[in-house]
Amino acid sequence: AQTVTQSQPEMSVQEAETVTLSCTYDTSESDYYLFWYKQPPSRQMILVIRQEAYKQQNATENRFSVNFQKAAKSFSLKISDSQLGDAAMYFCAYRSLFFDDMRFGAGTRLTVKP
Amino acid sequence: GAGVSQSPSNKVTEKGKDVELRCDPISGHTALYWYRQRLGQGLEFLIYFQGNSAPDKSGLPSDRFSAERTGESVSTLTIQRTQQEDSAVYLCASSPTQTSRGGYTFGSGTRLTVV
């Protein structure tokens, strides 16, 4: 079974600085999808960025980018020019092409200091 | 609808009572998912629907939990004889198909408190 591990329960960053959130996963599949979701206090899960495993190029969405290392099964999220609105829980998620649910890590709580 | 809608937003119930949680997915989304999120924890998969069918119910924590979906739209998660350990946020998500590459769209969840 696939597992997703986020080893940083909490992280903090100064406003305008850069922070990297770590995620590793375990799978025997060769193709799959990876996601980062943001959950602010409103509880709404917001998709931040996604990566298809067959693509070698790292995904980027504005200030958010990933470092996808398939061999190492690592999928970290980099937030550049951090803003106060980035403060939230961040969840890494794995989705198989063949199974029917998305597996989530335990989350990282990000605090942004003004 | 424009997004995934869940109701009620918050529910406080007495131990032993039954509760029903409702999820209204995005129109046209055939896949619907239920997750449980305990305080400070990640998301625990409960059940998914493809259309009105639920092929995999193994994530449901006990036989007190059941779910149904009608008309390929609204889904109801029912918890019978609630226990304090059922207190959590219950999140619903939908996607266009099972194999949608765009991830899920989530609702804002129902916070259930069993007292």
Side-chain angles (χ1 to χ4, degrees):
Chain A
Q2 294 82 12
T3 57
V4 179
T5 302
Q6 293 179 250
S7 59
Q8 305 155 316
E10 296 184 357
M11 291 284 284
S12 67
V13 63
Q14 207 70 34
E15 194 175 5
E17 297 293 311
T18 296
V19 65
T20 299
L21 308 184
S22 301
C23 173
T24 59
Y25 56 94
D26 183 26
T27 185
S28 58
E29 298 176 339
S30 60
D31 201 8
Y32 43 87
Y33 306 118
L34 296 166
F35 304 86
W36 279 96
Y37 278 89
K38 169 185 177 181
Q39 187 182 42
S42 66
R43 302 197 305 249
Q44 183 87 45
M45 294 282 284
I46 301 165
L47 178 63
V48 174
I49 198 166
R50 71 178 176 93
Q51 175 81 39
E52 293 156 326
Y54 71 88
K55 290 185 177 180
Q56 293 185 346
Q57 186 173 7
N58 288 324
T60 299
E61 289 286 342
N62 301 314
R63 298 182 295 107
F64 299 87
S65 61
V66 299
N67 182 4
F68 173 49
Q69 299 185 7
K70 191 173 184 179
K73 297 178 183 176
S74 171
F75 183 60
S76 61
L77 174 70
K78 185 171 83 170
I79 306 174
S80 303
D81 185 25
S82 297
Q83 300 176 0
L84 296 177
D86 295 334
M89 283 289 288
Y90 285 82
F91 292 95
C92 177
Y94 173 103
R95 186 176 187 183
S96 168
L97 268 66
F98 307 107
F99 297 100
D100 304 302
D101 62 297
M102 192 180 290
R103 303 293 174 94
F104 288 83
T108 297
R109 181 174 302 281
L110 177 67
T111 302
V112 181
K113 299 177 180 178
Chain B
V4 178
S5 177
Q6 290 188 248
S7 61
S9 179
N10 292 282
K11 175 73 175 178
V12 180
T13 189
E14 292 181 353
K15 179 180 173 181
K17 300 278 190 179
D18 297 351
V19 294
E20 285 190 353
L21 312 180
R22 176 187 168 108
C23 174
D24 199 345
I26 291 174
S27 179
H29 280 195
T30 60
L32 184 148
Y33 306 83
W34 283 99
Y35 285 84
R36 178 170 72 177
Q37 186 179 25
R38 290 199 164 112
L39 184 64
Q41 298 186 18
L43 278 69
E44 175 189 1
F45 171 73
L46 297 179
I47 190 171
Y48 91 96
F49 289 89
Q50 179 56 40
N52 295 338
S53 172
D56 182 4
K57 301 180 181 179
S58 62
L60 294 176
S62 76
D63 59 9
R64 296 187 294 105
F65 287 71
S66 62
E68 65 176 19
R69 187 181 185 192
T70 55
E72 292 199 358
S73 58
V74 172
S75 175
T76 302
L77 177 68
T78 300
I79 309 173
Q80 295 178 312
R81 305 181 301 282
T82 51
Q83 304 294 313
Q84 288 185 332
E85 71 232 32
D86 299 333
S87 295
V89 173
Y90 290 82
L91 289 164
C92 175
S94 69
S95 68
T97 67
Q98 255 177 279
T99 56
S100 172
R101 299 167 64 177
Y104 303 170
T105 301
F106 282 84
S108 295
T110 294
R111 181 182 298 281
L112 175 66
T113 304
V114 182
V115 297

